[in-house]
Amino acid sequence: MKRRDFLKSTAAVIGGAGFLGTLHPATLTAQDAPKRGGTLIWGHSETTQNLDIHQTGTASTLRVLQNVHAPIVTVDQNLKVIPNLAEKYEQSDDGLTYTFRLRPGVKFHNGKTMTSADVKYSFERCKNPATGAVNFEVFNNVAAIETPDDLTVVVKMSKVNAPFLSRLAENGAGAIMPEGSGEAQANTPIGAGPFKFVRREFGHEVELQRFDDYWDGPAYLERVIAREVTEPTVRLTGLRTGELHMINDIPADRIEEIKSNSKLQVRTWFPLNWDFVNFNHEFEPFKDKRVRLAFDLLIDKEQLLQGALWGQGKLTATPSYPTSTSRNAALSNRPQDIQKAKALLAEAGYGPGKLKVVFKTTTNYPYHIEAAQIMVEWFREAGVQMTIEQLTWSDWLSQVWTNKDFQVSMMNFFTLWEPDFLYYSEWHSTGAFNYRKIKDPVLDELLEKARVTTDPAARDDIYKQVQQRIFDEVHDVILWFRNGSIGAQPSVGGIDTIVHPNGSNLNFHKVWLRA
């Protein structure tokens, strides 16, 4: 199929995409009784990094660790906070005290029974700056953690932190690990989840084994092997030949083809993640808002979506979840205007040939490479000399994320449905994910105000102001939401249970193999 014909054929599908997406069965028989045993080989689209769930900031690693750890609270399909390792919880009327009643008899993978001491240890470890936890700010307002008995934890706040419970439900802050196990977590994670860690061959695969003492009942699968296959075509070939039972991230240009294949299952949903172009705010040209705005105006977002992502997504000017009540729906992407961009660059002192930038992107996301290659031509039209530096995932994390050594980059974020997690982590001057060195006192004030605002409608309004500020100041260029996809062999049962409500994490607790 020619590319232009493919794009025409998929346009209607993308336009009508829903949050939960659809399951396209090949030989599914919903009446099949789950079977116990077997090893599922998962073609993981990304490489895992640090295995310490407190320290890791990559969705690729969290997809594995969500099967190893269990949080104190979680969310249902509507992203409402519900009990998990805590069988119930209460919040005081003044919002300053949280009491968790733990499930009795919960076992860790090392055989230890979970108590309130483990919860206190986990929370205090995440709060401790020496840990380097990405979710440290969740516990900023925690004044004391009390353990009146083995099954009761009382968290006392110095001031209100409205999103505290929802932050515990998402990506590691609420994960409970055995007391004293912190030093081992980076290489040998120990949790209370449905699978226990066996081994990791860095850059190749991770092996998990069923934990028979899991509090919510043992998994069906005996083992899961996450085989890291970052090259999309190789990943798809592995699925089609039967080498892999399942893959995530079906190549965007092959999704319609795979959907029509009666020998495979396909699960699609919207959205998986959102993508944006990043500026290093301490790189001299990008200290000037006019330059950032010019770069925004140089990008034809729709053409970029079609060219790099084959239309498998939808444009957005804000990263807030499509269904979020805090989403600023009034924002829309700026249209391309190369002449206006050239004028702004000239006004800022960067006439034709005066501005040279390096665009660092990672081979972990091949479509980012394609997007950068498309953008080079537009920037050239405006007299900007841009070169592309392709980095491995590890090198991108080291150079861009950790050392903040870059000028322009592109990244995507997953699972940030909770607005405090999304905006405080990304855009607050002290946020754990603020690798762009953004320092905006107006944003800081708004984000801190949101944390102590308990009225949901008022809090939503603050986040809408935050989105407007990010857009007006062009702190980053938000591009699109990307669709999610899973392909699987007919032998894989329970495929519709894999995707977490946040759209990113994958859980294999209820998955089985028919043969």
Side-chain angles (χ1 to χ4, degrees), residues 68-366:
V68 174
H69 289 282
I72 192 165
V73 292
T74 187
V75 292
D76 63 16
Q77 289 295 329
N78 297 312
L79 299 174
K80 177 184 177 182
V81 178
I82 58 175
N84 198 55
L85 292 184
E87 62 181 6
K88 62 180 179 179
Y89 56 85
E90 297 175 357
Q91 181 181 354
S92 63
D93 292 339
D94 61 8
L96 294 176
T97 303
Y98 295 84
T99 302
F100 300 91
R101 182 69 181 177
L102 305 180
R103 296 184 187 277
V106 171
K107 293 286 187 179
F108 289 113
H109 300 155
N110 62 0
K112 182 181 184 296
T113 300
M114 182 187 73
T115 70
S116 56
D118 301 301
V119 177
K120 178 180 172 68
Y121 169 79
S122 300
F123 286 1
E124 290 184 342
R125 180 175 187 265
C126 197
K127 175 183 171 66
N128 186 350
T131 301
V134 296
N135 287 301
F136 68 91
E137 80 277 356
V138 174
F139 301 94
N140 279 355
N141 297 343
V142 172
I145 301 174
E146 299 174 356
T147 54
D149 59 59
D150 281 352
L151 294 177
T152 305
V153 179
V154 180
V155 179
K156 295 188 174 180
M157 298 288 189
S158 58
K159 63 179 180 179
V160 171
N161 183 353
F164 182 65
L165 280 174
S166 56
R167 290 297 303 271
L168 290 180
E170 182 64 18
N171 276 6
I176 308 304
M177 56 185 61
E179 185 178 12
S181 67
E183 290 188 8
Q185 292 289 337
N187 297 305
T188 310
I190 304 168
F195 291 88
K196 56 185 177 182
F197 175 83
V198 176
R199 65 180 175 85
R200 192 261 292 270
E201 296 176 33
F202 189 83
H204 179 51
E205 65 183 29
V206 178
E207 180 180 349
L208 307 178
Q209 180 181 351
R210 181 175 64 219
F211 180 49
D212 289 329
D213 291 327
Y214 180 51
W215 73 268
D216 198 23
Y220 299 116
L221 294 168
E222 175 65 26
R223 294 177 187 273
V224 174
I225 293 179
R227 190 162 294 161
E228 297 165 3
V229 189
T230 59
E231 213 293 315
T233 303
V234 175
R235 195 164 60 248
L236 182 57
T237 299
L239 177 67
R240 302 188 75 159
T241 61
E243 180 184 352
L244 303 173
H245 288 106
M246 184 199 103
I247 66 171
N248 65 299
D249 275 357
I250 299 169
D253 59 334
R254 307 292 293 278
I255 285 182
E256 292 305 306
E257 172 193 340
I258 302 306
K259 281 182 180 178
S260 65
N261 188 332
S262 62
K263 297 180 180 179
L264 294 172
Q265 302 181 65
V266 175
R267 171 79 161 86
T268 62
W269 67 95
F270 173 86
L272 168 66
N273 64 268
W274 53 274
D275 292 80
F276 60 161
V277 173
N278 304 144
F279 309 118
N280 187 329
H281 284 240
E282 290 189 2
F283 177 55
E284 189 60 38
F286 296 136
K287 292 179 180 179
D288 192 324
K289 173 184 169 181
R290 294 170 297 183
V291 177
R292 302 195 301 270
L293 177 57
F295 273 51
D296 188 352
L297 293 169
L298 287 173
I299 302 171
D300 184 328
K301 283 81 172 177
E302 182 63 36
Q303 186 173 337
L304 195 66
L305 175 68
Q306 303 299 334
L309 210 58
W310 287 75
Q312 293 293 323
K314 188 175 181 180
L315 295 184
T316 182
T318 167
S320 282
Y321 244 47
T323 56
S324 175
T325 56
S326 62
R327 178 180 173 82
N328 188 337
L331 297 176
S332 60
N333 301 81
R334 292 183 176 94
Q336 186 182 55
D337 191 333
I338 291 178
Q339 293 308 312
K340 184 176 180 180
K342 290 173 68 174
L344 283 167
L345 289 170
E347 184 181 317
Y350 299 102
K354 296 289 186 181
L355 183 54
K356 299 179 181 180
V357 297
V358 176
F359 194 123
K360 290 187 176 181
T361 187
T362 173
T363 54
N364 195 59
Y365 300 110

